[in-house]
Amino acid sequence: MGPLIPSNILDPSWNNVIALIVGIAFGFILESSGFSSSRKLAGVFYGYDFVVLKVFFTAAITAAVGLYYFEYVGWINMSLVYINPTYVASTIVGGMIMGLGFIMGGYCPGTSYCAAAIGKIDAIVFSTAMLVGILIFSEFYPLLESFYNSGFLGNVTVYEVLGLPVGWFMIILIVVALGAFYVTSLIQDKIKEVDY
Amino acid sequence: MDKSKKYWNPYFGGVMLGLLLLATIYVTGRGLGASGAAKSTVVTVVDAVAPIHAENSAYYSKFLSDDKHPMNEWLVFEVIGILAGAFLSGALSGRLKFVVEHSPKITTKSRLIMAALGGLAFGLGSQFARGCTSGAALSGMATLSLAGFIAMMSIFGTAYAFAYLFRKFWI
């Protein structure tokens, strides 16, 4: 029963090999979907190309439904799966700074690596500047530490917090996604095409 | 030339990415990531240039240990893979080219300045949020974590809120 490495079915020495293989697939999928173009990515914010929303939402739902199914049929022990911890304030502020970075830079870290790999110089600048941003945070950490650790709610899931059964939450998520796909297709038809 | 034909159908790409994420969690118990490798790079460089400073720092020291090099991290190997995979896809589709991609309405210099500011902000924000669009938002949403949904809404909500302000750089 999965997850294979945390369950000791697969030896942890495989970790880095798997990381490399997963990364190759990740980079290939992102680049093939058009995520190596900042102007294509930024389209989601101006209504001329919703590829980010479509790929992102489809991927999250595919994985979430798959995990739920794996757990249901007993293929995975979800208590061994990492649920990232929720620190409300720090995540909101971090997300806001990243959102600003997204609209200014046109990439996020993963997509900037993809774009840099095919020769986009703006992406090389973006990913190098990221290192400076991380350095600034690290150097000012003593001042930021208490904020960084504030509002800790634990490694919780959103359906637990909302008090909904996981299946119902999943259905709501799928309906929201389908609605978003439909509405954005209407918007895209109305927006002037941008050549890029 | 219709560029959209050269890329995958976005829903196909989304399903492929979702299956990859599912397989990754099934094998390793965790999702994908991106900014973590940049953090490992910063930790490694600071540790090499100023080892005493790094050891005394409450942040760098979290990621330093005596029995493991700071670059010996899952996400570092994963990002090496991302670079190779994206290069391969770009090569197969004839998209390998050194270029500064920008709107015809702005100069190359403006684009590079905005890319630098964007990267700086993303680096900073990803530390506050303990992950970026890949690690916090996408992988978090796959496991239905609250943090994943907060990160996703905060990133995209803010980008939409500021889109009007930065429109001349894109459209």
Side-chain angles (χ1 to χ4, degrees), chain A residues 128-156:
Chain A
T128 309
M130 262 173 56
L131 302 175
V132 181
I134 295 170
L135 182 72
I136 292 171
F137 179 90
S138 309
E139 292 299 327
F140 284 94
Y141 184 71
L143 296 173
L144 305 169
E145 190 172 6
S146 63
F147 177 73
Y148 179 72
N149 290 319
S150 66
F152 180 56
L153 296 184
N155 300 54
V156 289

Side-chain angles (χ1 to χ4, degrees), chain A residues 54-99:
Chain A
K54 291 171 186 169
V55 172
F56 188 94
F57 235 143
T58 308
I61 288 177
T62 303
V65 171
L67 277 180
Y68 178 54
Y69 180 77
F70 277 23
E71 189 188 23
Y72 180 73
V73 295
W75 292 346
I76 197 165
N77 178 0
M78 284 302 283
S79 66
L80 292 177
V81 170
Y82 177 73
I83 307 285
N84 48 339
T86 300
Y87 294 83
V88 179
S90 195
T91 304
I92 291 176
V93 168
M96 288 171 71
I97 300 171
M98 287 191 276

Side-chain angles (χ1 to χ4, degrees), chain A residues 31 37 44 46 84 90 92 196, chain B residues 3 89 101 128 145 160 163:
Chain A
E31 208 289 324
S37 162
V44 72
Y46 298 100
N84 48 339
S90 195
I92 291 176
Y196 51 90
Chain B
K3 286 188 180 179
S89 167
E101 187 191 23
F128 276 103
S145 83
Y160 274 108

Side-chain angles (χ1 to χ4, degrees), chain B residues 47-131:
Chain B
D47 188 42
V49 175
I52 297 164
H53 173 63
E55 272 169 43
N56 291 337
S57 150
Y59 201 63
Y60 301 119
S61 61
K62 285 187 193 198
F63 313 108
L64 290 168
S65 78
D66 290 334
D67 47 79
K68 198 176 164 194
H69 191 274
M71 286 307 263
N72 185 7
E73 282 293 331
W74 199 90
L75 285 174
V76 172
F77 289 93
E78 187 230 41
V79 165
I80 293 167
I82 292 179
L83 294 171
F87 179 83
L88 188 65
S89 167
L92 292 174
S93 304
R95 283 192 286 266
L96 298 183
K97 193 182 173 193
F98 280 110
V99 64
V100 179
E101 187 191 23
H102 62 85
S103 159
K105 292 176 186 166
I106 61 166
T107 62
T108 301
K109 192 177 157 196
S110 309
R111 170 63 191 138
L112 292 178
I113 291 169
M114 292 311 281
L117 291 174
L120 190 82
F122 236 113
L124 191 63
S126 65
Q127 300 312 297
F128 276 103
R130 295 168 167 82

Side-chain angles (χ1 to χ4, degrees), chain A residues 157-192:
Chain A
T157 60
V158 66
Y159 63 88
E160 284 167 352
V161 174
L162 294 174
L164 284 170
V166 61
W168 278 107
F169 182 76
M170 206 81 80
I171 290 169
I172 293 169
L173 195 63
I174 293 168
V175 170
V176 170
L178 293 177
F181 296 153
Y182 178 68
V183 171
T184 53
S185 73
L186 296 181
I187 295 171
Q188 196 169 338
D189 289 342
K190 289 213 170 82
I191 300 272
K192 188 165 61 101

